[in-house]
Amino acid sequence: MKIMLIGASGAGKTTLIQRLQDLELKYDKTQAIEYIGNFIDTPGEYMQNRWFWGPLTVTSYDADIVGFVHDSTNEDCWFNGGLRSKFERPVIGIVTKVDQPDANPSRSRNYLEFAGVTDIYETSAYDGSGIEALSEGFHRILEKK
């Protein structure tokens, strides 16, 4: 099983991968597309610069699932309408940082729904909320394939 995470810089993709793999949580800026165990971590700049959407689309063919990741404390939306249709894989939405005082998960859900995602999970890599449900969601999707 390979899961590719796509989202803006600072959305929490790398930290989420660390949590899902029971690794030490530490900030590590992703500079290039990286394969980490069962995950494909992508630089936020790739999402934020449409010139890099080609490499994201091509790399998604290595994945079984694509996860759009949005930081619930961020008001910006980098997902355009219907973006989900660019990927010929199951796409889920992952809302991160829901444990933060300024979190707004409903705003993030709206952004992900705008991108065409219907299966959305709310998570916090730091307090662990939603991580088990997300992991179960990955397995449920793979069982359907």
Side-chain angles (χ1 to χ4, degrees):
M1 160 174 66
K2 283 271 189 233
I3 300 159
M4 180 176 173
L5 299 183
I6 299 171
S9 293
K13 299 175 299 294
T14 303
T15 306
L16 183 61
I17 290 169
Q18 292 169 351
R19 175 60 134 178
L20 287 163
Q21 295 192 105
D22 293 321
L23 301 172
E24 177 187 354
L25 300 183
K26 60 180 181 165
Y27 179 75
D28 186 21
K29 174 70 180 104
T30 304
Q31 299 294 324
I33 293 173
E34 296 180 22
Y35 288 71
I36 305 167
N38 291 338
F39 292 91
I40 304 170
D41 195 5
T42 62
E45 292 80 7
Y46 280 36
M47 179 71 234
Q48 293 168 268
N49 186 335
R50 292 190 177 156
W51 293 341
F52 291 115
W53 284 14
L56 290 177
T57 304
V58 170
T59 303
S60 74
Y61 283 92
D62 288 344
D64 298 299
I65 300 169
V66 173
F68 289 173
V69 181
H70 191 271
D71 170 358
S72 65
T73 67
N74 192 334
E75 295 180 11
D76 295 330
C77 178
W78 294 96
F79 301 108
N80 66 350
L83 180 63
R84 188 245 167 276
S85 65
K86 285 186 69 69
F87 301 93
E88 295 182 14
R89 303 283 181 269
V91 178
I92 64 167
I94 305 168
V95 179
T96 58
K97 305 180 187 181
V98 298
D99 60 321
Q100 298 299 307
D102 56 343
N104 187 340
S106 62
R107 176 182 56 217
S108 294
R109 281 182 166 276
N110 288 338
Y111 291 161
L112 293 166
E113 289 169 357
F114 177 67
V117 178
T118 57
D119 197 6
I120 300 172
Y121 299 86
E122 296 181 10
T123 66
S124 167
Y126 283 99
D127 74 11
S129 61
I131 298 299
E132 186 174 331
L134 175 61
S135 184
E136 290 170 1
F138 291 148
H139 293 291
R140 199 171 31 255
I141 291 168
L142 292 176
E143 289 172 1
K144 291 179 183 179
K145 286 183 92 176

